[in-house]
Amino acid sequence: MQDLSRFPVRVGMCPSEPERGRCLFLNSAEGCCAGGVLLAEAPAATVLMWNEWALRCGACLEKRGADQLLTCGGCGLERYCSEICQKRQWKAQHKAECSKLRALRAQLDGTDFTDAVLCLRTLQQRSPAKAVPWLVPTMQDCYDMASPSLKQRKDNADAGSDPWEANDAGRKDHKRAKIAAVLCKIADHITLESSLSMLLRIAPSAFMIHDADRIDFAYGFFPHIALVNHACAANCIATFELPSVDCKSQPSVVLKVRALESIEPGAELVHCYADLLLPVWARQQRLKVYYDFICHCTRCSASHDLDVQQCGTPDGKSILNDTSLSLLAGPTADAALEARISQVRAMYVSIAQISVAPSDSQRDIDLKRAFELEVRLQRSGKTVAALDAWKSILMHRSKHVHRMSHFLADTHRNVADVAVALGEWQTAIPCLEKIASARDVLLPALHPQR
């Protein structure tokens, strides 16, 4: 693990909210200007997504054709772009895990397998407790801090009931317990306590590593940067630098934290765990599902103009009613998302005194037509007929939805995607320009997606 003394940050407890645990603070008398690098860290462990194992180097993560990669003769799973990467990876970690990967693959599939490999590689790091104490917590820490549902599961188990299949949290705990049990069987030095504890810790802390096109292909565990807390009103952002082409000057992916704005000395560093292009209810839903908390930052707890617009009428003065929002949410929406939309809309009405748009029969007719067309397009290809249907959806929604709406941006993206595939640039370019103009408003000036 690296030494933080090279960077203008320090680890500490949040003085106003100690329940948030360890945080990172700016440790510089001069503060930090926008764009400044606050922290850079190589991963303690990485693992490729399961569908990428045959296409990427397991060391530098570079993408190659399957016939251009060297395959490990031991496990038959790890692949490398060169002998340099293979030798480096063997010395760094693969020698200790080679036979274990084969045993894991025989018992686990898909995300269960990748979660187990990431946990195994993190546990194999030398003296993790000395470098970052919270990497190896006690089981009591797990019950008290990491997963309230696990403590409830334990209490219910003591009472003679088995709630594992009762809810999503219970199913996640069941999955972790299964992975931990497998890890204990294939590695003598790993205990049930240490593996389950590690799974509970890295599950919300691992980063999805993406390429220049923002397509995710791997997971990485960056222990120090994982201490940066969340806020939608963020003052910094984490971005990836991929390894150099020759794998020599920079052999590993590096995660860098940069300031999005000028930061005062002693301020806590916070970045957004969700996509800032999403409206508040979608961000809240993602945070609840993946991180088990609800954000109460200034952007989420107040009636932020941008979030109001994303569920508002074209004039931005009122919120669309539940019927309209349900039709906009589309065929992929679930009951949990619709409940979150309703809760946020109620907050705006009661706290911010924002009115709800009255029922409008023509709006409901147009949005219903758009909804029905989108349902039909779920299994269609990128054809001329599909492009015409998406253009019709865009026309119906544009009449009744604010131009900053997430739903409208999604429709522009779908139109552009099909148009580009068909070479219809006169249709694609205006849609892409509208997406870009919306991002200029929704994202901070130094955000890489602008």
Side-chain angles (χ1 to χ4, degrees):
M1 301 295 176
Q2 68 183 32
D3 182 7
L4 287 183
S5 62
R6 297 191 296 115
F7 300 98
V9 298
R10 64 177 176 83
V11 178
M13 301 294 289
C14 182
S16 58
E17 300 177 78
E19 68 277 4
R20 295 177 68 188
R22 293 180 177 86
C23 313
L24 283 186
F25 297 87
L26 183 61
N27 191 30
S28 170
E30 297 81 24
C32 181
C33 62
V37 176
L38 298 162
L39 182 59
E41 185 175 19
T46 60
V47 62
L48 290 167
M49 292 180 174
W50 175 242
N51 59 348
E52 296 284 343
W53 276 65
L55 303 174
R56 289 182 181 270
C57 174
C60 70
L61 310 182
E62 182 182 353
K63 189 168 187 175
R64 295 281 186 90
D67 57 343
Q68 297 178 309
L69 295 171
L70 305 173
T71 303
C72 173
C75 64
L77 294 170
E78 279 278 72
R79 291 172 170 81
Y80 304 99
C81 64
S82 66
E83 290 186 5
I84 294 175
C85 277
Q86 187 170 17
K87 290 177 180 178
R88 181 187 295 122
Q89 190 78 340
W90 179 260
K91 183 178 179 180
Q93 71 179 29
H94 196 59
K95 181 179 180 180
E97 71 177 18
C98 186
S99 61
K100 299 181 183 69
L101 288 188
R102 190 168 59 247
L104 282 176
R105 182 65 187 90
Q107 301 180 65
L108 299 171
D109 290 315
T111 57
D112 287 354
F113 173 75
T114 54
D115 287 351
V117 174
L118 186 60
C119 180
L120 174 65
R121 289 176 175 174
T122 307
L123 287 169
Q124 285 180 167
Q125 296 301 310
R126 294 181 180 178
S127 303
K130 180 179 179 181
V132 186
W134 59 270
L135 277 178
V136 187
T138 66
M139 184 61 77
Q140 190 60 45
D141 288 334
C142 296
Y143 289 143
D144 295 343
M145 298 169 59
S147 178
S149 61
L150 182 62
K151 183 178 186 301
Q152 184 62 48
R153 191 188 76 192
K154 176 179 179 296
D155 293 343
N156 288 346
D158 292 341
S161 60
D162 182 4
W164 283 3
E165 300 301 324
N167 52 59
D168 287 340
R171 282 190 288 272
K172 287 177 183 178
D173 284 334
H174 190 186
K175 171 182 171 180
R176 291 170 188 147
K178 172 186 173 183
I179 295 172
V182 173
L183 284 169
C184 292
K185 291 179 182 178
I186 61 102
D188 294 337
H189 67 286
I190 295 179
T191 65
L192 181 64
E193 178 181 349
S194 64
S195 57
L196 184 54
S197 299
M198 184 61 70
L199 285 165
L200 288 166
R201 294 291 172 157
I202 65 176
S205 302
F207 285 78
M208 297 183 78
I209 301 173
H210 54 73
D211 59 20
D213 296 323
R214 301 192 68 79
I215 298 174
D216 300 323
F217 64 85
Y219 302 98
F221 184 44
F222 302 81
H224 293 112
I225 296 180
L227 294 174
V228 180
N229 277 329
H230 163 85
C232 295
N235 59 14
C236 63
I237 188 169
T239 57
F240 292 102
E241 281 192 6
L242 298 180
S244 58
V245 176
D246 60 6
C247 300
K248 293 180 180 179
S249 56
Q250 183 182 308
S252 172
V253 64
V254 173
L255 185 59
K256 289 188 175 181
V257 177
R258 295 180 181 272
L260 285 173
E261 60 190 29
S262 296
I263 303 177
E264 296 296 322
E268 183 187 354
L269 305 181
V270 288
H271 74 113
C272 185
Y273 294 2
D275 188 348
L276 280 173
L277 294 173
L278 297 174
V280 61
W281 64 76
R283 296 198 306 271
Q284 297 282 27
Q285 183 68 14
R286 179 177 176 82
L287 293 171
K288 183 63 178 174
V289 170
Y290 290 101
Y291 303 100
D292 200 26
F293 69 83
I294 294 296
C295 180
H296 298 289
C297 73
T298 54
R299 178 161 177 173
C300 292
S301 58
S303 58
H304 196 285
D305 288 344
L306 294 178
D307 286 321
V308 172
Q309 292 169 1
Q310 287 191 316
C311 60
T313 53
D315 59 10
K317 295 180 180 179
S318 58
I319 301 292
L320 292 169
N321 58 30
D322 281 345
T323 301
S324 298
L325 289 174
S326 296
L327 289 170
L328 281 167
T332 58
D334 57 16
L337 177 59
E338 291 186 2
R340 185 66 60 193
I341 291 175
S342 184
Q343 290 172 11
V344 173
R345 186 184 64 78
M347 179 188 75
Y348 284 151
V349 172
S350 61
I351 299 175
Q353 302 298 309
I354 297 174
S355 62
V356 177
S359 297
D360 183 323
S361 57
Q362 187 59 50
R363 181 178 67 223
D364 290 345
I365 290 172
D366 287 343
L367 293 182
K368 186 174 182 179
R369 284 176 181 167
F371 176 88
E372 291 170 347
L373 280 171
E374 189 172 358
V375 171
R376 294 175 196 165
L377 286 169
Q378 291 301 297
R379 296 182 180 180
S380 66
K382 295 177 181 179
T383 63
V384 174
L387 179 59
D388 290 340
W390 278 117
K391 288 164 71 174
S392 179
I393 293 171
L394 180 60
M395 178 190 69
H396 288 311
R397 288 178 174 169
S398 297
K399 296 177 186 177
H400 307 290
V401 177
H402 194 277
R403 63 182 181 84
M404 298 304 299
S405 170
H406 166 68
F407 302 117
L408 199 57
D410 269 355
T411 310
H412 278 299
R413 190 178 301 111
N414 285 317
V415 172
D417 186 38
V418 179
V420 168
L422 297 174
E424 297 282 348
W425 296 103
Q426 289 184 334
T427 300
I429 290 174
C431 289
L432 293 172
E433 288 175 343
K434 292 198 175 167
I435 293 171
S437 64
R439 290 187 175 193
D440 286 344
V441 176
L442 290 168
L443 300 175
L446 296 179
H447 198 286
Q449 286 186 263
R450 288 191 59 166

